[in-house]
Structure formats: structure tokens, C-alpha cells
Short mmCIF file of all heavy atoms in Angstrom, two decimals:
data_model
loop_
_atom_site.label_atom_id
_atom_site.label_comp_id
_atom_site.label_asym_id
_atom_site.label_seq_id
_atom_site.Cartn_x
_atom_site.Cartn_y
_atom_site.Cartn_z
N MET A 9 0.83 -1.18 0.00
CA MET A 9 0.00 0.00 0.00
C MET A 9 0.88 1.25 0.00
O MET A 9 1.96 1.24 0.55
CB MET A 9 -0.89 0.02 1.24
CG MET A 9 -1.83 -1.16 1.35
SD MET A 9 -3.03 -1.17 0.05
CE MET A 9 -4.42 -0.61 0.92
N LYS A 10 0.37 2.28 -0.58
CA LYS A 10 1.09 3.53 -0.66
C LYS A 10 0.24 4.64 -0.05
O LYS A 10 -0.97 4.69 -0.28
CB LYS A 10 1.42 3.85 -2.11
CG LYS A 10 2.27 5.06 -2.26
CD LYS A 10 2.71 5.24 -3.69
CE LYS A 10 3.57 6.49 -3.75
NZ LYS A 10 4.16 6.70 -5.03
N ILE A 11 0.86 5.50 0.72
CA ILE A 11 0.17 6.63 1.35
C ILE A 11 0.40 7.87 0.48
O ILE A 11 1.50 8.14 0.04
CB ILE A 11 0.72 6.91 2.77
CG1 ILE A 11 0.64 5.67 3.64
CG2 ILE A 11 0.02 8.08 3.42
CD1 ILE A 11 -0.75 5.17 3.88
N ASN A 12 -0.68 8.62 0.27
CA ASN A 12 -0.60 9.80 -0.57
C ASN A 12 -1.18 10.98 0.22
O ASN A 12 -2.32 10.92 0.67
CB ASN A 12 -1.42 9.54 -1.85
CG ASN A 12 -1.32 10.67 -2.83
OD1 ASN A 12 -1.47 11.82 -2.47
ND2 ASN A 12 -1.10 10.34 -4.07
N TYR A 13 -0.39 12.02 0.38
CA TYR A 13 -0.80 13.20 1.13
C TYR A 13 -1.15 14.38 0.22
O TYR A 13 -1.18 15.53 0.67
CB TYR A 13 0.31 13.61 2.12
CG TYR A 13 0.63 12.57 3.15
CD1 TYR A 13 1.72 11.72 3.00
CD2 TYR A 13 -0.17 12.42 4.28
CE1 TYR A 13 2.01 10.75 3.95
CE2 TYR A 13 0.12 11.44 5.24
CZ TYR A 13 1.21 10.62 5.06
OH TYR A 13 1.49 9.67 6.01
N ASN A 14 -1.42 14.12 -1.05
CA ASN A 14 -1.71 15.21 -1.99
C ASN A 14 -2.89 16.06 -1.54
O ASN A 14 -2.91 17.26 -1.78
CB ASN A 14 -1.96 14.66 -3.40
CG ASN A 14 -0.67 14.23 -4.07
OD1 ASN A 14 0.42 14.59 -3.63
ND2 ASN A 14 -0.78 13.45 -5.12
N GLY A 15 -3.87 15.43 -0.91
CA GLY A 15 -5.01 16.19 -0.40
C GLY A 15 -4.57 17.25 0.60
O GLY A 15 -5.07 18.39 0.59
N LEU A 16 -3.63 16.89 1.47
CA LEU A 16 -3.12 17.85 2.45
C LEU A 16 -2.40 19.00 1.76
O LEU A 16 -2.60 20.16 2.10
CB LEU A 16 -2.17 17.16 3.44
CG LEU A 16 -1.45 18.07 4.42
CD1 LEU A 16 -2.43 18.86 5.27
CD2 LEU A 16 -0.50 17.26 5.29
N TRP A 17 -1.57 18.68 0.78
CA TRP A 17 -0.83 19.74 0.09
C TRP A 17 -1.79 20.69 -0.63
O TRP A 17 -1.57 21.90 -0.64
CB TRP A 17 0.20 19.15 -0.88
CG TRP A 17 1.08 18.09 -0.30
CD1 TRP A 17 1.46 16.93 -0.91
CD2 TRP A 17 1.71 18.04 1.00
NE1 TRP A 17 2.26 16.18 -0.08
CE2 TRP A 17 2.43 16.84 1.10
CE3 TRP A 17 1.71 18.90 2.09
CZ2 TRP A 17 3.15 16.48 2.23
CZ3 TRP A 17 2.44 18.53 3.23
CH2 TRP A 17 3.14 17.35 3.29
N LYS A 18 -2.88 20.15 -1.18
CA LYS A 18 -3.89 21.00 -1.84
C LYS A 18 -4.60 21.89 -0.81
O LYS A 18 -4.89 23.06 -1.08
CB LYS A 18 -4.89 20.14 -2.59
CG LYS A 18 -4.29 19.49 -3.81
CD LYS A 18 -5.27 18.56 -4.51
CE LYS A 18 -4.57 17.85 -5.66
NZ LYS A 18 -5.41 16.84 -6.27
N ILE A 19 -4.89 21.33 0.36
CA ILE A 19 -5.53 22.12 1.43
C ILE A 19 -4.61 23.28 1.84
O ILE A 19 -5.08 24.41 2.03
CB ILE A 19 -5.87 21.23 2.64
CG1 ILE A 19 -7.00 20.26 2.28
CG2 ILE A 19 -6.24 22.08 3.85
CD1 ILE A 19 -7.20 19.13 3.27
N LEU A 20 -3.32 22.99 1.97
CA LEU A 20 -2.38 24.06 2.34
C LEU A 20 -2.39 25.17 1.30
O LEU A 20 -2.39 26.36 1.65
CB LEU A 20 -0.96 23.50 2.50
CG LEU A 20 -0.72 22.56 3.68
CD1 LEU A 20 0.74 22.12 3.71
CD2 LEU A 20 -1.12 23.18 5.00
N ILE A 21 -2.42 24.80 0.02
CA ILE A 21 -2.47 25.81 -1.04
C ILE A 21 -3.74 26.64 -0.92
O ILE A 21 -3.70 27.88 -1.00
CB ILE A 21 -2.37 25.14 -2.43
CG1 ILE A 21 -0.96 24.58 -2.63
CG2 ILE A 21 -2.73 26.13 -3.54
CD1 ILE A 21 -0.83 23.65 -3.83
N ASP A 22 -4.87 25.95 -0.71
CA ASP A 22 -6.16 26.66 -0.58
C ASP A 22 -6.16 27.63 0.60
O ASP A 22 -6.85 28.66 0.56
CB ASP A 22 -7.31 25.67 -0.42
CG ASP A 22 -7.58 24.87 -1.68
OD1 ASP A 22 -7.10 25.26 -2.77
OD2 ASP A 22 -8.28 23.84 -1.57
N LYS A 23 -5.42 27.31 1.64
CA LYS A 23 -5.37 28.15 2.83
C LYS A 23 -4.17 29.10 2.82
O LYS A 23 -3.86 29.73 3.82
CB LYS A 23 -5.34 27.28 4.09
CG LYS A 23 -6.63 26.48 4.30
CD LYS A 23 -6.59 25.69 5.58
CE LYS A 23 -7.87 24.94 5.81
NZ LYS A 23 -8.93 25.78 6.39
N ASN A 24 -3.50 29.18 1.66
CA ASN A 24 -2.32 30.05 1.50
C ASN A 24 -1.26 29.76 2.56
O ASN A 24 -0.69 30.67 3.16
CB ASN A 24 -2.71 31.53 1.53
CG ASN A 24 -3.55 31.91 0.35
OD1 ASN A 24 -3.25 31.52 -0.78
ND2 ASN A 24 -4.63 32.62 0.59
N MET A 25 -1.03 28.47 2.80
CA MET A 25 -0.02 28.04 3.77
C MET A 25 1.05 27.23 3.04
O MET A 25 0.80 26.69 1.97
CB MET A 25 -0.65 27.14 4.84
CG MET A 25 -1.62 27.84 5.76
SD MET A 25 -2.39 26.66 6.92
CE MET A 25 -0.98 26.07 7.84
N ASN A 26 2.22 27.15 3.66
CA ASN A 26 3.25 26.25 3.15
C ASN A 26 3.59 25.23 4.24
O ASN A 26 3.01 25.27 5.33
CB ASN A 26 4.49 27.03 2.69
CG ASN A 26 5.11 27.87 3.79
OD1 ASN A 26 5.16 27.46 4.94
ND2 ASN A 26 5.58 29.06 3.44
N LYS A 27 4.51 24.34 3.95
CA LYS A 27 4.84 23.28 4.91
C LYS A 27 5.44 23.84 6.19
O LYS A 27 5.20 23.31 7.28
CB LYS A 27 5.79 22.27 4.27
CG LYS A 27 5.12 21.46 3.17
CD LYS A 27 6.10 20.51 2.49
CE LYS A 27 5.43 19.76 1.36
NZ LYS A 27 6.35 18.87 0.67
N LYS A 28 6.19 24.93 6.09
CA LYS A 28 6.77 25.53 7.29
C LYS A 28 5.66 26.09 8.18
O LYS A 28 5.70 25.95 9.41
CB LYS A 28 7.75 26.63 6.92
CG LYS A 28 8.44 27.22 8.12
CD LYS A 28 9.49 28.22 7.77
CE LYS A 28 10.11 28.71 9.06
NZ LYS A 28 11.08 29.73 8.88
N ASP A 29 4.65 26.73 7.57
CA ASP A 29 3.51 27.22 8.34
C ASP A 29 2.83 26.07 9.08
O ASP A 29 2.44 26.20 10.24
CB ASP A 29 2.48 27.90 7.43
CG ASP A 29 3.01 29.14 6.74
OD1 ASP A 29 3.90 29.81 7.30
OD2 ASP A 29 2.54 29.44 5.62
N LEU A 30 2.69 24.94 8.39
CA LEU A 30 2.06 23.77 8.99
C LEU A 30 2.84 23.29 10.21
O LEU A 30 2.27 23.04 11.27
CB LEU A 30 1.94 22.64 7.96
CG LEU A 30 1.29 21.35 8.45
CD1 LEU A 30 -0.18 21.57 8.76
CD2 LEU A 30 1.46 20.25 7.41
N THR A 31 4.16 23.19 10.07
CA THR A 31 4.98 22.73 11.19
C THR A 31 4.84 23.66 12.39
O THR A 31 4.76 23.20 13.53
CB THR A 31 6.47 22.58 10.82
OG1 THR A 31 7.00 23.84 10.42
CG2 THR A 31 6.69 21.57 9.73
N GLU A 32 4.79 24.96 12.14
CA GLU A 32 4.69 25.93 13.24
C GLU A 32 3.32 25.91 13.89
O GLU A 32 3.22 25.92 15.12
CB GLU A 32 5.02 27.33 12.73
CG GLU A 32 6.48 27.48 12.34
CD GLU A 32 6.78 28.80 11.64
OE1 GLU A 32 5.84 29.59 11.38
OE2 GLU A 32 7.96 29.03 11.34
N ARG A 33 2.26 25.87 13.10
CA ARG A 33 0.90 25.92 13.65
C ARG A 33 0.53 24.65 14.40
O ARG A 33 -0.19 24.69 15.40
CB ARG A 33 -0.11 26.17 12.54
CG ARG A 33 -0.17 27.61 12.12
CD ARG A 33 -1.17 27.89 11.05
NE ARG A 33 -2.53 27.57 11.42
CZ ARG A 33 -3.58 27.83 10.65
NH1 ARG A 33 -3.41 28.43 9.49
NH2 ARG A 33 -4.79 27.50 11.03
N VAL A 34 1.01 23.50 13.92
CA VAL A 34 0.63 22.22 14.52
C VAL A 34 1.68 21.75 15.52
O VAL A 34 1.41 20.89 16.34
CB VAL A 34 0.37 21.17 13.41
CG1 VAL A 34 -0.04 19.84 13.99
CG2 VAL A 34 -0.69 21.67 12.44
N GLY A 35 2.88 22.31 15.46
CA GLY A 35 3.94 21.89 16.36
C GLY A 35 4.58 20.58 15.92
O GLY A 35 4.89 19.73 16.74
N LEU A 36 4.75 20.44 14.60
CA LEU A 36 5.36 19.22 14.06
C LEU A 36 6.86 19.39 13.91
O LEU A 36 7.34 20.51 13.68
CB LEU A 36 4.78 18.92 12.66
CG LEU A 36 3.28 18.70 12.56
CD1 LEU A 36 2.89 18.56 11.10
CD2 LEU A 36 2.87 17.49 13.35
N ALA A 37 7.56 18.29 13.97
CA ALA A 37 8.98 18.30 13.65
C ALA A 37 9.13 18.36 12.13
O ALA A 37 8.33 17.75 11.40
CB ALA A 37 9.65 17.04 14.18
N PRO A 38 10.11 19.10 11.63
CA PRO A 38 10.32 19.14 10.19
C PRO A 38 10.51 17.75 9.58
O PRO A 38 10.09 17.50 8.45
CB PRO A 38 11.59 19.99 10.03
CG PRO A 38 11.61 20.86 11.25
CD PRO A 38 11.02 20.01 12.35
N ALA A 39 11.08 16.83 10.35
CA ALA A 39 11.28 15.46 9.85
C ALA A 39 9.94 14.78 9.58
O ALA A 39 9.84 13.96 8.65
CB ALA A 39 12.09 14.65 10.85
N THR A 40 8.92 15.10 10.35
CA THR A 40 7.60 14.52 10.14
C THR A 40 7.02 14.97 8.82
O THR A 40 6.50 14.17 8.04
CB THR A 40 6.65 14.89 11.29
OG1 THR A 40 7.20 14.42 12.52
CG2 THR A 40 5.26 14.31 11.09
N VAL A 41 7.12 16.26 8.53
CA VAL A 41 6.62 16.78 7.26
C VAL A 41 7.44 16.22 6.10
O VAL A 41 6.91 15.92 5.03
CB VAL A 41 6.62 18.32 7.27
CG1 VAL A 41 6.17 18.88 5.93
CG2 VAL A 41 5.71 18.84 8.38
N SER A 42 8.72 16.02 6.33
CA SER A 42 9.57 15.41 5.31
C SER A 42 9.12 13.98 4.99
O SER A 42 9.05 13.59 3.83
CB SER A 42 11.03 15.41 5.78
OG SER A 42 11.86 14.77 4.84
N LYS A 43 8.79 13.23 6.04
CA LYS A 43 8.28 11.86 5.84
C LYS A 43 7.00 11.88 5.01
O LYS A 43 6.80 11.06 4.12
CB LYS A 43 8.01 11.19 7.18
CG LYS A 43 9.25 10.74 7.92
CD LYS A 43 8.92 10.19 9.29
CE LYS A 43 8.23 8.86 9.19
NZ LYS A 43 8.07 8.21 10.52
N MET A 44 6.14 12.84 5.30
CA MET A 44 4.89 12.95 4.56
C MET A 44 5.17 13.30 3.10
O MET A 44 4.50 12.78 2.19
CB MET A 44 3.99 14.00 5.21
CG MET A 44 3.54 13.58 6.60
SD MET A 44 2.68 14.87 7.49
CE MET A 44 1.11 14.80 6.69
N GLY A 45 6.14 14.14 2.86
CA GLY A 45 6.52 14.51 1.50
C GLY A 45 7.03 13.33 0.70
O GLY A 45 6.92 13.30 -0.53
N LYS A 46 7.56 12.32 1.40
CA LYS A 46 8.07 11.11 0.75
C LYS A 46 7.02 10.01 0.69
O LYS A 46 7.31 8.91 0.25
CB LYS A 46 9.29 10.59 1.51
CG LYS A 46 10.47 11.54 1.50
CD LYS A 46 11.57 10.99 2.38
CE LYS A 46 12.69 12.01 2.55
NZ LYS A 46 13.70 11.54 3.51
N GLY A 47 5.80 10.29 1.19
CA GLY A 47 4.75 9.28 1.18
C GLY A 47 4.94 8.20 2.22
O GLY A 47 4.44 7.10 2.08
N GLU A 48 5.63 8.53 3.30
CA GLU A 48 5.87 7.58 4.37
C GLU A 48 4.78 7.71 5.44
O GLU A 48 4.09 8.71 5.52
CB GLU A 48 7.25 7.81 4.99
CG GLU A 48 8.38 7.57 4.02
CD GLU A 48 9.75 7.86 4.61
OE1 GLU A 48 9.85 8.11 5.83
OE2 GLU A 48 10.72 7.84 3.84
N PHE A 49 4.66 6.69 6.27
CA PHE A 49 3.66 6.67 7.32
C PHE A 49 4.01 7.66 8.43
O PHE A 49 5.18 7.81 8.77
CB PHE A 49 3.55 5.27 7.95
CG PHE A 49 2.92 4.26 7.04
CD1 PHE A 49 3.71 3.43 6.28
CD2 PHE A 49 1.55 4.14 6.96
CE1 PHE A 49 3.14 2.49 5.44
CE2 PHE A 49 0.97 3.20 6.13
CZ PHE A 49 1.77 2.37 5.36
N VAL A 50 2.97 8.31 8.97
CA VAL A 50 3.11 9.12 10.19
C VAL A 50 2.02 8.65 11.14
O VAL A 50 1.10 7.94 10.73
CB VAL A 50 3.00 10.64 9.92
CG1 VAL A 50 4.15 11.12 9.05
CG2 VAL A 50 1.67 11.00 9.31
N SER A 51 2.12 9.03 12.39
CA SER A 51 1.17 8.53 13.39
C SER A 51 -0.22 9.13 13.20
O SER A 51 -0.39 10.22 12.65
CB SER A 51 1.68 8.84 14.80
OG SER A 51 1.54 10.22 15.08
N MET A 52 -1.20 8.40 13.72
CA MET A 52 -2.58 8.89 13.71
C MET A 52 -2.69 10.17 14.54
O MET A 52 -3.46 11.05 14.22
CB MET A 52 -3.53 7.83 14.25
CG MET A 52 -3.74 6.67 13.31
SD MET A 52 -4.58 7.15 11.79
CE MET A 52 -6.21 7.50 12.42
N GLU A 53 -1.90 10.27 15.59
CA GLU A 53 -1.91 11.46 16.44
C GLU A 53 -1.49 12.69 15.64
O GLU A 53 -2.09 13.75 15.77
CB GLU A 53 -1.01 11.24 17.65
CG GLU A 53 -1.14 12.32 18.71
CD GLU A 53 0.03 13.28 18.73
OE1 GLU A 53 1.11 12.92 18.26
OE2 GLU A 53 -0.16 14.41 19.21
N VAL A 54 -0.49 12.54 14.79
CA VAL A 54 -0.04 13.65 13.94
C VAL A 54 -1.15 14.04 12.97
O VAL A 54 -1.48 15.22 12.82
CB VAL A 54 1.25 13.27 13.17
CG1 VAL A 54 1.52 14.24 12.03
CG2 VAL A 54 2.44 13.22 14.12
N LEU A 55 -1.77 13.04 12.33
CA LEU A 55 -2.85 13.33 11.39
C LEU A 55 -4.03 13.99 12.10
O LEU A 55 -4.65 14.92 11.56
CB LEU A 55 -3.30 12.05 10.69
CG LEU A 55 -2.26 11.40 9.77
CD1 LEU A 55 -2.79 10.09 9.23
CD2 LEU A 55 -1.88 12.35 8.65
N TYR A 56 -4.32 13.55 13.32
CA TYR A 56 -5.40 14.15 14.10
C TYR A 56 -5.11 15.62 14.38
O TYR A 56 -5.99 16.49 14.23
CB TYR A 56 -5.59 13.38 15.42
CG TYR A 56 -6.52 14.08 16.37
CD1 TYR A 56 -7.91 14.00 16.19
CD2 TYR A 56 -6.03 14.84 17.42
CE1 TYR A 56 -8.77 14.67 17.06
CE2 TYR A 56 -6.89 15.50 18.29
CZ TYR A 56 -8.26 15.41 18.10
OH TYR A 56 -9.10 16.08 18.95
N ARG A 57 -3.89 15.93 14.83
CA ARG A 57 -3.53 17.31 15.14
C ARG A 57 -3.63 18.21 13.91
O ARG A 57 -4.11 19.35 13.99
CB ARG A 57 -2.13 17.37 15.74
CG ARG A 57 -2.09 16.80 17.15
CD ARG A 57 -0.73 16.67 17.78
NE ARG A 57 0.28 17.61 17.37
CZ ARG A 57 1.58 17.31 17.31
NH1 ARG A 57 2.01 16.11 17.65
NH2 ARG A 57 2.44 18.22 16.93
N ILE A 58 -3.19 17.69 12.77
CA ILE A 58 -3.28 18.46 11.52
C ILE A 58 -4.74 18.69 11.15
O ILE A 58 -5.14 19.81 10.83
CB ILE A 58 -2.54 17.75 10.37
CG1 ILE A 58 -1.03 17.71 10.66
CG2 ILE A 58 -2.82 18.44 9.04
CD1 ILE A 58 -0.24 16.83 9.71
N ALA A 59 -5.54 17.63 11.18
CA ALA A 59 -6.95 17.73 10.82
C ALA A 59 -7.68 18.73 11.72
O ALA A 59 -8.49 19.53 11.25
CB ALA A 59 -7.62 16.36 10.89
N LYS A 60 -7.39 18.67 13.00
CA LYS A 60 -8.04 19.57 13.96
C LYS A 60 -7.65 21.02 13.67
O LYS A 60 -8.52 21.91 13.64
CB LYS A 60 -7.64 19.18 15.38
CG LYS A 60 -8.36 19.95 16.44
CD LYS A 60 -8.03 19.42 17.82
CE LYS A 60 -8.69 20.26 18.89
NZ LYS A 60 -8.31 19.85 20.23
N GLU A 61 -6.38 21.27 13.44
CA GLU A 61 -5.91 22.64 13.18
C GLU A 61 -6.47 23.20 11.88
O GLU A 61 -6.85 24.36 11.80
CB GLU A 61 -4.37 22.67 13.14
CG GLU A 61 -3.78 24.02 12.84
CD GLU A 61 -4.04 25.06 13.93
OE1 GLU A 61 -4.14 24.71 15.11
OE2 GLU A 61 -4.13 26.26 13.57
N LEU A 62 -6.53 22.36 10.84
CA LEU A 62 -6.99 22.82 9.52
C LEU A 62 -8.50 22.67 9.34
O LEU A 62 -9.04 23.08 8.31
CB LEU A 62 -6.26 22.06 8.41
CG LEU A 62 -4.73 22.22 8.39
CD1 LEU A 62 -4.14 21.40 7.26
CD2 LEU A 62 -4.33 23.69 8.26
N GLU A 63 -9.16 22.06 10.34
CA GLU A 63 -10.61 21.84 10.31
C GLU A 63 -11.04 21.04 9.08
O GLU A 63 -11.93 21.43 8.32
CB GLU A 63 -11.36 23.18 10.38
CG GLU A 63 -11.08 23.94 11.66
CD GLU A 63 -11.76 25.30 11.72
OE1 GLU A 63 -12.15 25.83 10.66
OE2 GLU A 63 -11.90 25.81 12.84
N VAL A 64 -10.38 19.88 8.90
CA VAL A 64 -10.69 18.97 7.80
C VAL A 64 -10.77 17.54 8.33
O VAL A 64 -10.41 17.28 9.48
CB VAL A 64 -9.62 19.05 6.67
CG1 VAL A 64 -9.59 20.44 6.06
CG2 VAL A 64 -8.24 18.66 7.19
N ASP A 65 -11.22 16.61 7.49
CA ASP A 65 -11.27 15.19 7.82
C ASP A 65 -10.00 14.49 7.34
O ASP A 65 -9.35 14.98 6.42
CB ASP A 65 -12.46 14.53 7.12
CG ASP A 65 -13.69 14.47 7.98
OD1 ASP A 65 -13.56 14.46 9.21
OD2 ASP A 65 -14.79 14.43 7.41
N PHE A 66 -9.73 13.33 7.92
CA PHE A 66 -8.58 12.54 7.47
C PHE A 66 -8.65 12.28 5.97
O PHE A 66 -7.66 12.39 5.26
CB PHE A 66 -8.53 11.19 8.18
CG PHE A 66 -8.07 11.25 9.62
CD1 PHE A 66 -7.83 12.44 10.27
CD2 PHE A 66 -7.89 10.08 10.33
CE1 PHE A 66 -7.42 12.48 11.59
CE2 PHE A 66 -7.47 10.10 11.65
CZ PHE A 66 -7.24 11.29 12.28
N GLY A 67 -9.83 11.91 5.49
CA GLY A 67 -10.00 11.57 4.08
C GLY A 67 -9.73 12.73 3.14
O GLY A 67 -9.43 12.53 1.97
N ASP A 68 -9.83 13.95 3.67
CA ASP A 68 -9.51 15.13 2.86
C ASP A 68 -8.00 15.27 2.66
O ASP A 68 -7.55 15.85 1.68
CB ASP A 68 -10.02 16.41 3.52
CG ASP A 68 -11.53 16.44 3.67
OD1 ASP A 68 -12.23 15.81 2.85
OD2 ASP A 68 -12.01 17.09 4.63
N MET A 69 -7.23 14.73 3.59
CA MET A 69 -5.78 14.91 3.59
C MET A 69 -5.02 13.73 3.01
O MET A 69 -3.98 13.92 2.40
CB MET A 69 -5.26 15.09 5.03
CG MET A 69 -5.83 16.24 5.78
SD MET A 69 -5.06 16.43 7.41
CE MET A 69 -5.36 14.85 8.19
N VAL A 70 -5.51 12.52 3.25
CA VAL A 70 -4.74 11.31 2.99
C VAL A 70 -5.55 10.34 2.13
O VAL A 70 -6.74 10.18 2.34
CB VAL A 70 -4.38 10.61 4.31
CG1 VAL A 70 -3.57 9.35 4.07
CG2 VAL A 70 -3.64 11.54 5.24
N SER A 71 -4.87 9.71 1.20
CA SER A 71 -5.49 8.61 0.47
C SER A 71 -4.53 7.43 0.46
O SER A 71 -3.32 7.60 0.60
CB SER A 71 -5.87 9.02 -0.95
OG SER A 71 -4.73 9.39 -1.68
N ILE A 72 -5.09 6.26 0.33
CA ILE A 72 -4.30 5.03 0.36
C ILE A 72 -4.56 4.29 -0.94
O ILE A 72 -5.71 4.11 -1.34
CB ILE A 72 -4.68 4.15 1.55
CG1 ILE A 72 -4.45 4.90 2.85
CG2 ILE A 72 -3.87 2.84 1.53
CD1 ILE A 72 -4.98 4.20 4.07
N GLY A 73 -3.51 3.88 -1.58
CA GLY A 73 -3.67 3.16 -2.84
C GLY A 73 -2.65 2.05 -2.97
O GLY A 73 -1.78 1.88 -2.12
N LYS A 74 -2.78 1.31 -4.03
CA LYS A 74 -1.83 0.23 -4.27
C LYS A 74 -0.51 0.82 -4.72
O LYS A 74 -0.46 1.71 -5.56
CB LYS A 74 -2.36 -0.71 -5.35
CG LYS A 74 -3.56 -1.48 -4.90
CD LYS A 74 -4.01 -2.45 -5.96
CE LYS A 74 -5.23 -3.22 -5.46
NZ LYS A 74 -5.72 -4.16 -6.44
N GLY A 75 0.55 0.31 -4.15
CA GLY A 75 1.89 0.74 -4.52
C GLY A 75 2.54 -0.25 -5.45
O GLY A 75 1.87 -1.07 -6.09
N THR A 76 3.85 -0.20 -5.51
CA THR A 76 4.61 -1.06 -6.40
C THR A 76 4.84 -2.43 -5.81
O THR A 76 5.32 -3.32 -6.49
CB THR A 76 5.97 -0.43 -6.71
OG1 THR A 76 6.70 -0.32 -5.48
CG2 THR A 76 5.83 0.93 -7.36
N GLY A 77 4.53 -2.59 -4.52
CA GLY A 77 4.80 -3.86 -3.86
C GLY A 77 6.16 -3.88 -3.20
O GLY A 77 6.51 -4.83 -2.53
N ASN A 78 6.95 -2.84 -3.39
CA ASN A 78 8.29 -2.77 -2.81
C ASN A 78 8.32 -2.03 -1.49
O ASN A 78 9.37 -1.85 -0.91
CB ASN A 78 9.24 -2.07 -3.79
CG ASN A 78 9.44 -2.86 -5.05
OD1 ASN A 78 9.39 -4.09 -5.03
ND2 ASN A 78 9.65 -2.18 -6.15
N GLU A 79 7.15 -1.58 -1.02
CA GLU A 79 7.11 -0.83 0.22
C GLU A 79 7.45 -1.74 1.41
O GLU A 79 7.23 -2.93 1.37
CB GLU A 79 5.72 -0.23 0.45
CG GLU A 79 5.37 0.88 -0.52
CD GLU A 79 4.92 0.35 -1.88
OE1 GLU A 79 4.49 -0.79 -1.98
OE2 GLU A 79 5.02 1.11 -2.83
N GLU A 80 7.94 -1.09 2.44
CA GLU A 80 8.26 -1.81 3.68
C GLU A 80 6.96 -2.31 4.30
O GLU A 80 5.98 -1.59 4.39
CB GLU A 80 8.97 -0.84 4.63
CG GLU A 80 9.43 -1.46 5.90
CD GLU A 80 10.20 -0.47 6.75
OE1 GLU A 80 10.92 0.35 6.19
OE2 GLU A 80 10.03 -0.53 7.97
N LYS A 81 6.95 -3.54 4.75
CA LYS A 81 5.76 -4.11 5.37
C LYS A 81 5.68 -3.71 6.82
O LYS A 81 6.69 -3.57 7.51
CB LYS A 81 5.77 -5.63 5.25
CG LYS A 81 5.65 -6.07 3.82
CD LYS A 81 5.44 -7.54 3.71
CE LYS A 81 5.27 -7.88 2.25
NZ LYS A 81 4.94 -9.22 2.00
N ILE A 82 4.46 -3.50 7.30
CA ILE A 82 4.22 -3.15 8.69
C ILE A 82 3.94 -4.42 9.46
O ILE A 82 3.11 -5.21 9.06
CB ILE A 82 3.04 -2.19 8.81
CG1 ILE A 82 3.31 -0.92 8.01
CG2 ILE A 82 2.74 -1.87 10.25
CD1 ILE A 82 2.14 0.00 7.95
N ASN A 83 4.61 -4.60 10.58
CA ASN A 83 4.38 -5.78 11.40
C ASN A 83 3.38 -5.52 12.46
O ASN A 83 3.24 -4.52 13.01
CB ASN A 83 5.69 -6.25 12.05
CG ASN A 83 6.67 -6.73 10.99
OD1 ASN A 83 6.27 -7.28 9.98
ND2 ASN A 83 7.94 -6.52 11.24
#
């Protein structure tokens, strides 16, 4: 499975925000936003904090789709 955060990036554009603004408003580590930029997993707590701050649903920010099959498996 592959994680896609394109919805979040579109929301930021609509709200005239950039990734740095997001890190400051939500209190995220830059490494967390970097992971999201690479399509890597982040915690539900992080997604919750972002959704609450931006007043959106998880489904507005994140989508899950089939990947290449080379992704790291979650145990």
C-alpha cells in the first residue's frame, strides 16, 4: 500500500499556507513533514492534530492506494 498526502498539500495551497507554516501551527517536527513529503507513514496522532488545526477530515488529507509492492511491510 502507498500513502498519498496530496489532499493535504492542496488544502495548504487553498489556505495560503506552506509546509513551514504547517509545522509551526501544529507543532510538528520538520522530519515529520519530510516523511509525509516522501509518502511515508506518520502517526494517527499527527494526522489528528493536523486535521483539527486545519478543520478537515482525514480523508480530505490522505489517500491510500496500491503501490509497487516494494514498500516496507508493517508488522
Side-chain angles (χ1 to χ4, degrees):
M9 300 294 256
K10 185 173 180 174
I11 304 298
N12 184 313
Y13 298 99
N14 285 344
L16 174 59
W17 311 139
K18 289 176 185 174
I19 291 166
L20 292 181
I21 290 168
D22 291 344
K23 294 183 178 279
N24 294 316
M25 292 177 63
N26 59 38
K27 292 177 183 179
K28 184 175 182 184
D29 296 331
L30 180 67
T31 61
E32 291 172 356
R33 282 181 60 175
V34 181
L36 301 175
T40 301
V41 177
S42 177
K43 285 175 70 172
M44 294 171 77
K46 296 175 188 174
E48 297 177 7
F49 290 96
V50 296
S51 74
M52 288 294 290
E53 190 255 338
V54 165
L55 294 176
Y56 170 79
R57 288 174 29 212
I58 294 170
K60 186 174 176 184
E61 178 66 31
L62 300 179
E63 299 177 340
V64 297
D65 266 333
F66 286 5
D68 298 331
M69 301 184 302
V70 180
S71 61
I72 301 171
K74 292 183 180 180
T76 62
N78 294 329
E79 290 79 22
E80 184 176 324
K81 294 189 178 186
I82 301 174
N83 294 327

